[in-house]
Amino acid sequence: MRVDPITFEVVNNALVGVAEQMAATILRTSYSTVVREMLDYSTAVFDPDGHIIAQSCRIPIHLNSMSRSLRTTLDGIIPIEEWNEGDIIITNDPYLGGQHLPDVQTFMPVYSDGKIVAICGTLDHHLDVGGMRPGSYAGDAVEIFQEGFRIPPIKLFEKGEANERFLAVFDANVRQPDQTGGDLRAQAAALNIGRDGVLELVERYGVATFENCLLDAIDNSETRMRAKIRELPEGDYFGEYQVDDDGVTDERITVKVKLTIKDGGIHLDFTGTDKQRRAPTNATISSCESASYFAILSILDPTIPSNFGLYKPITITAPEGTVVNAQSPAPVVGRNTITHTIVSAIMKALADVVPDRVTAGYYANSNVHILAGDGTGEHAPWILFDIEVGGGGARRTKDGVDCWSQGIHNLANTPIEMIEVMYPLQFTHYEFLPDTGGAGRTRGGLGVRRDIKFLDKSGTLETQFDKFKVEPFGLEGGHPGAVGKLFLNPDSNDPKSLRSKTNNQRLERGDIFSMFTQGGGGYGPPSERNKDAVKRDIIEGKLTAERAKADYNVEISS
């Protein structure tokens, strides 16, 4: 039985509000900068079958990703009959629905009069979950067992009582148990807030009306999504993009996609994509699904509520054993390199469908870097996990954005002041890089230079960058954006060039780690760019006079 439109809208939006309240709880109670400053977490409300109903506005790569873990759990590992009021289920297993080990998911059932009416969920990227490298990013791992503590679905709380034995094992396997444990408690607190919010709605409208609202929410989003897809021209479209290397070998990785639009649905077929690697540059099917959903949704109606119905018209073929559907025991911590590439490949296909909505190539990777101190000096052992961004791709009528979080990660910028207060680090450069945006009728966005001085006695550096060889692509005659670069002590007499995926680089007091991030691709022929725009870029320091002459045939008299 359908619910009247007013009640439906009130309940539907209230559930999004519940997810946002959960997110606010995590923000206010978490310990690590990864969660508290970068905002690398998501929250959601599900129906009892594990279908997502409402999600907070957080990380696109988490789109519907918790659903697979929850459904896998319900389908046989911990059936719904074995759940109790006050239970919290925890898991991070990439091969049971997760993405990579640092992403720890928790779920709590919501009971009303002895019946489960909903399930609340949270996902946090944890600072460290063990493994062979600080921050659990081992760029040279060849199997998942080297990446950290793997948690199949298990009860973290049972009937409101914490599983202390599990928590003891967990603490013993991570490098920063105080911060990680604090973030885990923040997730538990958020689930309680979510449960209370759902129960307020159930008590106000009754179980039957609430359950019907969930059904109507799914049907409504599916109907609207299919209508939007029917506005697109039917047919088959193709795209592919490459990853520089897998971090262990120098061989490139190719992601291929065939996008078929037909009968109000979109099918993505990744047949032809390269096989999985004995390196962490792999993605599980959950990561592939989330990246695909983001790519499609980003060019359709963003006002459609994000729930299970939104994803039903999108189907995916991802052959097992490829980098987009890796099988155990392949390591997967570097899955973002693949997921960004999935998005870019789909966008290249969509450029033939809706060219007015698709941008040129952006920096196309979550530029992860982890600095860690050994604790041999005056400081205790510490870990900083951070991500740097680059230039956005140019749009048909606008330049690409400069140094702005884009694509599937949408993370916040950790304040320099916060890092310098908490860690023995000092920032010595943070500036736009001129000439990094690809030339075009509209220019690609600029990358940045960011230098960090290491002040502890000794430590290590790990990185997961990409697009140091494969250029961010231009569209419709636009030039590609600049590739990235990494250096150790770049302005010294003995600078060292680093690989994009640097493993266990030793650091000493005074060393400077320098990032030159990727620029965005240009859109349209550079000859069509407005000359005043070129002159403005020169005045603002975004373009040098030399490149203005070479790319746009514009000269500025001194």
Side-chain angles (χ1 to χ4, degrees), residues 240-242 340-341 343-349 351 355 357-365 390-396 398-401 404 406-407 436-439 442-447 467 470-483 518-524:
E240 70 174 70
Y241 205 40
Q242 290 187 314
H340 279 278
T341 304
V343 171
S344 295
I346 294 172
M347 288 299 181
K348 293 183 83 170
R357 304 184 200 176
V358 176
T359 71
Y362 66 109
Y363 54 93
N365 194 57
R395 295 155 284 183
R396 174 166 277 192
K398 295 181 180 179
D399 291 342
V401 291
W404 191 262
Q406 291 188 69
T436 50
T442 52
R443 171 185 51 76
L446 302 183
K467 302 301 171 279
V470 177
E471 299 169 312
F473 59 87
L475 285 178
E476 302 291 335
H479 292 187
V483 296
Q518 315 86 339
Y523 199 118

Side-chain angles (χ1 to χ4, degrees), residues 271-286:
T271 299
T273 292
D274 283 355
K275 299 294 184 183
Q276 67 187 50
R277 298 294 182 89
R278 279 179 59 81
T281 313
N282 296 296
T284 63
I285 186 61
S286 180

Side-chain angles (χ1 to χ4, degrees), residues 12 47 107 140 214 218 224 240 267 386 448 513 515 551:
N12 201 24
D47 70 15
F107 302 99
D140 51 349
L214 302 189
I218 292 172
R224 291 180 60 183
E240 70 174 70
H267 181 68
D386 206 359
V448 295
F513 166 53
M515 297 168 271
D551 291 339

Side-chain angles (χ1 to χ4, degrees), residues 232-238 258-263 265 267 353:
L232 304 176
E234 292 192 346
D236 296 332
Y237 304 90
F238 301 87
K258 174 185 175 183
L259 187 152
T260 301
I261 302 172
K262 186 177 180 181
D263 296 333
H267 181 68
V353 184

Side-chain angles (χ1 to χ4, degrees), residues 17 58 123 244 263 303 333 338 422 427 458 497 523 548 550 553:
R58 290 295 173 267
L123 187 159
D244 289 344
D263 296 333
T303 68
V333 74
I338 296 298
M422 294 182 63
F427 289 80
S458 63
S497 179
Y523 199 118
N553 197 28

Side-chain angles (χ1 to χ4, degrees), residues 154-226:
I154 189 173
K155 291 188 178 182
L156 176 65
F157 281 75
E158 185 162 13
K159 298 180 181 179
E161 296 295 324
N163 185 342
E164 298 293 348
R165 291 183 178 180
F166 168 80
L167 289 170
V169 173
F170 185 69
D171 286 350
N173 280 276
V174 302
R175 293 176 178 82
Q176 301 285 322
D178 290 344
Q179 292 194 49
T180 302
D183 287 352
L184 201 56
R185 287 191 292 274
Q187 288 182 262
L191 291 174
N192 282 284
I193 293 295
R195 176 201 59 202
D196 293 346
V198 170
L199 286 177
E200 285 182 17
L201 292 171
V202 173
E203 290 167 4
R204 180 174 180 179
Y205 295 99
V207 172
T209 298
F210 179 81
E211 290 177 334
N212 285 328
C213 283
L214 302 189
L215 295 173
D216 285 357
I218 292 172
D219 289 343
N220 179 65
S221 289
E222 180 181 4
T223 299
R224 291 180 60 183
M225 184 65 172
R226 291 194 185 278

